[in-house]
Amino acid sequence: MSDLMTTRAALQETMTFLGAIASGMEEAIGESANSITYLAGKRLGMQFSADIRKTDDVEEALAAVRTVLQDNNCLWHFEPFQAHDRPALIQATDKGDEDIHLVFRDCMIRQSLFRFGHHQKGSLCTMMFGFFSGALLNVMGVDSTLEIMHAGENACLKRLVIHKKREEKP
């Protein structure tokens, strides 16, 4: 077997193993699995982005997160998405937060779930939310929420909300 075939076989076994862990954890402990994977993802995002340049600009922050993922060989390709009925790429919410839609095309989590035959929107998808939350906390110094709007076979559409710092009341 060639080196490429050996590497690919090892990757596919790892993906199956990852899907099995997610499935088993969700079956054993239920909704708590999401909390565990969120925290694990957040810690990973903070570790990977520990020395990253700070910015308040959402698009610059997303570019920095993309670089962090690439530098750590993580296949989570994403890009901003502006639907035809959205007047701007980044919109303000009623609470003054910033809202942007992201498309995730190549996703190691989605591929792992399909390889094992487990559903999307579970604990491994929550790990991605945690990763972004941790990385954006380092980059922008604020909390964020990554919500799945659509989980598909070829891509997922997510809504990222950057929670702006609130003035503390005296």
Side-chain angles (χ1 to χ4, degrees):
M1 188 181 291
S2 71
D3 288 344
L4 179 60
M5 293 299 289
T6 302
T7 302
R8 181 179 176 157
L11 176 62
Q12 289 178 336
E13 288 175 18
T14 303
M15 292 167 68
T16 302
F17 183 73
L18 186 61
I21 287 174
S23 176
M25 186 169 59
E26 290 170 14
E27 185 177 328
I29 63 174
E31 290 291 321
S32 298
N34 289 334
S35 300
I36 293 168
T37 55
Y38 171 81
L39 291 173
K42 186 172 183 176
R43 178 173 294 158
L44 186 65
M46 292 185 81
Q47 286 176 349
F48 282 1
S49 64
D51 299 323
I52 202 160
R53 186 174 62 86
K54 312 292 185 226
T55 182
D56 290 331
D57 183 90
V58 174
E59 291 184 77
E60 286 181 25
L62 290 173
V65 171
R66 186 177 300 109
T67 299
V68 164
L69 289 168
Q70 290 170 348
D71 289 350
N72 289 282
N73 300 314
C74 294
L75 300 175
W76 274 338
H77 302 284
F78 66 92
E79 59 196 66
F81 178 75
Q82 182 177 352
H84 66 88
D85 58 345
R86 281 178 65 97
L89 183 63
I90 301 169
Q91 294 184 323
T93 68
D94 294 342
K95 296 180 179 177
D97 297 332
E98 293 178 303
D99 169 313
I100 185 170
H101 292 177
L102 302 174
V103 172
F104 291 79
R105 298 189 192 283
D106 294 327
C107 176
M108 60 186 168
I109 289 175
R110 183 174 50 249
Q111 297 305 321
S112 295
L113 294 172
F114 285 164
R115 179 86 183 151
F116 183 72
H118 192 59
H119 63 87
Q120 293 175 274
K121 296 186 176 180
S123 60
L124 287 183
C125 294
T126 304
M127 186 174 189
M128 178 184 283
F129 167 25
F131 182 89
F132 270 73
S133 181
L136 290 171
L137 186 60
N138 274 348
V139 175
M140 301 183 78
V142 295
D143 289 326
S144 61
T145 304
L146 186 64
E147 167 192 338
I148 300 172
M149 298 172 65
H150 172 76
E153 294 179 10
N154 297 318
C156 294
L157 178 62
K158 300 186 180 191
R159 176 180 180 234
L160 177 66
V161 177
I162 306 294
H163 303 287
K164 290 297 181 181
K165 292 179 184 170
R166 309 278 189 249
E167 295 294 324
E168 291 186 27
K169 295 180 181 177

